[in-house]
Amino acid sequence: MISGQDLLDFMRETAYKPMTYNELEQHFGIDDPDDFKSFLKLLNELEEAGQILRTRNDRYGVPERMNLLRGRLQAHAKGFAFLIPDEKDHPDVYIHANDLKSAMNGDIVLVRIISKSESGGRMEGEVARIVQRAVTQVVGTFQNHEAYGFVIPDDKRINRDIFIPKGGFQGAVTGQKVVVRIVSYPEGRSAAEGEIIETLGHKDDPGVDILSIIRKHMLPEGFPDDVMAEAESAPDSITEEEIVQQGRRDLRGETIVTIDGEDAKDLDDAVHVKRLDNGNYLLGVHIADVGYYVREKSALDQEAYRRGCSVYLVDRVIPMLPHRLSNGICSLNPQVDRLTMSCEMEFDPKTLKRVRHDIFTSVIKTTERMTYTNVRRLLTATEEEPETELKERYAGLLDMFTLMEELAMKLRRKRMKRGAIDFDFQESKVIVDENGKAVDIVKRERSVAEQIIEEFMLAANETVAEHFHWLRVPFLYRIHEDPDSEKLLTFMQFATNFGYVVKGKGNSVHPRALQTLLEEIQGTKEETVISTMMLRSMKQAKYDAESLGHFGLAAEFYTHFTSPIRRYPDLVIHRVMREVIENGGALTDARQEALAARMPEIAQQSSERERVAVDAERDTERLKKCEYMLDKVGEEFDGIISSVTSFGMFVELDNTVEGLIRLSELSDDYYHFHEVHMVLIGERTSKVYRIGDEVNIRVARVNMDDHTIDFEMVDMKSRSSFRGVADAGYGGRKKRREGFRADRPGAAGAGRAGRGAGGRGSAAGGGAGRTGAAEGRGKGGAGAGRSSASGRGAGFGGAAGPRSGGGFGRGGGAAAAGRTGGAAAGTGNPWLEPGETLEAANERSSRGKGGVRTDMWGLPIRRSGGSANRYDDGHEAGGSSERRDGRGGRGSGGPGRSSGGREGGFPERGSSGRSEGRGDRGGRQQERSGSDGRSYGGGRKRRRDDTSASGIFVGDGGEGRPSSSEPDSGNGGGGQNRAKQSGDSRKKGKKGGAMSAFVRKKRK
C-alpha cells in the first residue's frame, strides 16, 4: 500500500505534472478495491491538510509546484502578518492586512507569492486558502448594545471585535470576561460572529485576570478522567524485585543531593561529585525516570504531548503531568528509593576534558533536599557571617559542596573560553497575596548555587546528545541556529555606537566574539541594552530531530535530558535512552523507522507549546506588574532607558518594571528619532536621550486593559512654556493689538512677536538712538535689543538692557543671561578666532568689537562665500559706522535659512526661503519693505497669523505694539500707527514684498 510520503515525493519530482486520481491509480498500479478506497481516503486527507491541492480540472499536485506555499500564519496587532513556511530554508513571507482574507493568527494557510525582492530574500504574498483554523475560541470583554453585543478580544493580534447576536449573550453583561466560540469567521468587512460559551466573571473580580490569560492561550487546567485514573494507578514506592528485574545500577549508597528552590515540589534532578583516586573529578547527574511510569501512547503520554510542558504562571503552575506523579513517585524526595536515568562523567582536573562517561538506568536514595539559599550561604560564609548552625547541620556535605563549586567554576571557565554566550539578565518574581493581588516584586538572585546546577545540567545534556548522536538512533536535539547575517550586522552597527567593535563579518561571527563583548560591557550602564539587542539579533532555540548545533552555547551537540517532569522532549528522550540501553545499544529496524518518522512532529509540537507557555508566563507577569504599579501612580522613581523607538522610549525601573515615555510627553522640545544610533535628539535644545541613560520618571498612567504603563519625565518643562523670544523678554506668543503691560516679563521691550523684518526702527543710527532695554527688539527668536551705550545688544534683549553673554547664547528667561548653546567651542569651530574660547567670543560680541552675528537660535552666522575673509561686523565699504543688522551676506545663514538683507537692508532669497533681514543703514527699512515693515525673502509660503508649537515664531512679525514705556517707538515698520492696523496685515505683507522687489530691480 502506498504511503502519504511516497505520494508526496512522487508529486515533488521535477517531471511530475498534475494528474487525476485515475491517472495516479494507474501509475501506482492499484487494482484491489480496498486499496483503491484507502488511496482515495489518503488523497482526501492530504488535501484537507493542505499538503496537496486539487485543481479545477480535478488534478492533484503539491502547493510549491503551483506557486503556493504552506505554513503557519503569525499575525501582528497592527493588522499585517507573516507566513512561517513549513519549509525550513524558505524565508518568511509578508502578508498585508488586505491580503489576509479571513485568516487569523496561528492558522495553517496556503499563500500565493505576489512579489519578491531582487535577491529573493523578501517576499510578499496573499492568502489563497485556509487549511486549518487555529483560533476556534476567543477570550475578551463583553459589551452589550441591547440589540446585539460585541466581544473585544484580549489577544490584540485579533484586531476585529467578535459580533454576538442577541440570542447568544448567555446572561453576560457589559464588563464581564467571556469565552466565545467562533461560529463564522470574518469575510471582507463583516466581523466574525460568535456565541458565548463561558462567563469568567467581571474583569475587575479577583482571579479573573489570570483565568482570562489561561483561556486566551487555551491552556488546560484539569486532567481528563482517564489520565487521572492512570496516574492514580502508579505505585507509591519501589520494590526490590523491580530493581533486580530491570538490572538497574544501585547507587543508594552514594551521597547524592537535590538542589532546588524553596518552593519546588517536583524534584527531578539530583547530583553528586567526588574526587577519584587518580585525581579526576567524577560528576554524576541523576534524573527521575518518568518514562518508566508514562508509557508510550498511554492516556498520560497523549495528554503530556498535547500540553508540551508545564506552565509557570505568577500565582499557579499548570503541570504537564498530574501531581500524583510529579510530586510523588517521580519526585526525588529525600531518603526514599527512586528510579532514575544516570549520566556519570569523569573530567581531567587540568584540562577539564571529559575522559570517560557512562549512561545507565539506576536507583538512588537522595541524602538531603538542599535549597539554593542554603548552599549559597554555606559556600559564601565569612568570618562576619560564619553560618555556624548551618555548617553543623550539613557537616557531612560541606566537602562535597566545596568540590562542586570548584568543578562547576572550572567547567564554566572552559565553556566561556570556547565561546559560549552567557546572558546574565536580571529576573524578578512577583509576590502575590492569598487573593492573587501583587504585593511586591523581588529580584531573582543567580548565586553560586544556581551556577553549580546550571553547569552540571549543561555538561550532562551535551554528553547525552553526543553519545546518542553517534549511535545513529532517532533522537530529539535542542538546537540554536546561527544568527541571520542581516540582523547580526545591524547589531554590530548598533554596538559601534557605544564604541564597541565585534570581530567578524556577517554570519561568520564566532560566538566567542559576542561573549567577549558581553564581558567588556559588564558593569556598564549599557550592559542591559546591548545584551538585549544581541539576544534579539539571534534566532530562537527550538527542538529538532537533527543535531544542528547550539550557537549560544558554542556546542556541537546539545539536548534536553534533565527535566522530564515538566518537558515532553525530555520524556521522549528517556524512553529512547532506556530502550537503547535495554536492547544492547541498538534499535530494531522497524522501531528505528517508526521513531524517525515521529521525531520531527514531536519536535515541532514541543517548540510550539513552549512558545505558548512563554507567552502566557509573560502575559501574567506583565499583568501583575501593572497591578503592582496601580497604586504608585504619581510617585517618582529612578530608571534606565532600556529602549528607544520612533514613538518614545522605554524606561526600566530597579524592580524590573518597564514603562513607556511617549514622544508626545516629552514636552520641552521636539525630538527626532535616529534609527541607526537609537537616540532621540531635541530639535531646539539638542538634548539627547540614548539607551542606558539614567532618568527620573513619574508614573503617569497604568492601563489594566492593555497591561501597559506610561511614565513621564520629572521636571519636564512644557514646550508651551518656551515662548520663543518671549522667554527672553520679547513679548508673548499671541499677537495683541494693545500694548504690553508694564508688569509682564519683557514688557520693557517693545517686542515684536514674529519672524520677518524686525527692523531697527525709525531712529536707528541716525536719530535719538534707542535707550536701554525698553528698545529690546527681536526677530522671532534672536533679538537685537539695543542699548544706548553700544547701539545694539548681540543676543536676546532682556528686561534690563542688552543681555550679557553676547550672541552665542540662547534665551534663558526674561532677564537672565543665556546658557551656552549653538556652536560649541573647540577645534575647527568656524565661528571663533584661532585659539579663542566661547566665553571670550561672547564677551567680544557684547563689547561690540568684531561681534559675531547670531541667528535666532543664538548660533553665529558664517560669513558669506563672496565676502572678504573676515566676520561681517557691519562696516561696509563706504557705509555707516554702525553694523547693518541684516544677518550676514547672501546665503550666509545657518542650514536652511536665508541670511539676511543686502547693503540696503533688503532680504535676499535663501535656500529655505526664510527672510532674516533686519533693517538697513540709516533706518530706512520701514519705507522700503512696505507699510507694515515686513520683509519677505522666502521662497515658501509662511503662516503669518500663528506661531509654531515650539514657541518659535513663524508668523509675519505681528502687529506693531507701542510699549507702555515709550508709546511712540517704532516696531520695525509703521510706528504707533501699526498698533491701529486690523486684519488686512496679510494683504499689506504682499504689497510690501512687491515693493521690495521693485526697489531691488531699480537699484540694479
Side-chain angles (χ1 to χ4, degrees), residues 412 415-416 420-424 446 454 515 518 531 552:
R412 177 178 172 79
R415 188 164 58 86
M416 293 297 106
I421 302 172
D422 184 32
F423 291 107
D424 190 12
R446 189 187 181 197
E454 180 181 326
Q515 176 58 27
L518 291 178
S531 300

Side-chain angles (χ1 to χ4, degrees), residues 421-432:
I421 302 172
D422 184 32
F423 291 107
D424 190 12
F425 288 112
Q426 184 66 60
E427 295 182 353
S428 62
K429 181 179 180 180
V430 181
I431 308 299
V432 296

Side-chain angles (χ1 to χ4, degrees), residues 636 667-668 687 696 698 712-718:
E636 297 178 6
S667 55
D668 64 334
K687 189 171 183 179
N696 187 230
R698 182 185 299 111
E712 61 187 11
M713 286 289 187
V714 175
D715 300 329
M716 175 65 69
K717 294 182 180 179
S718 173

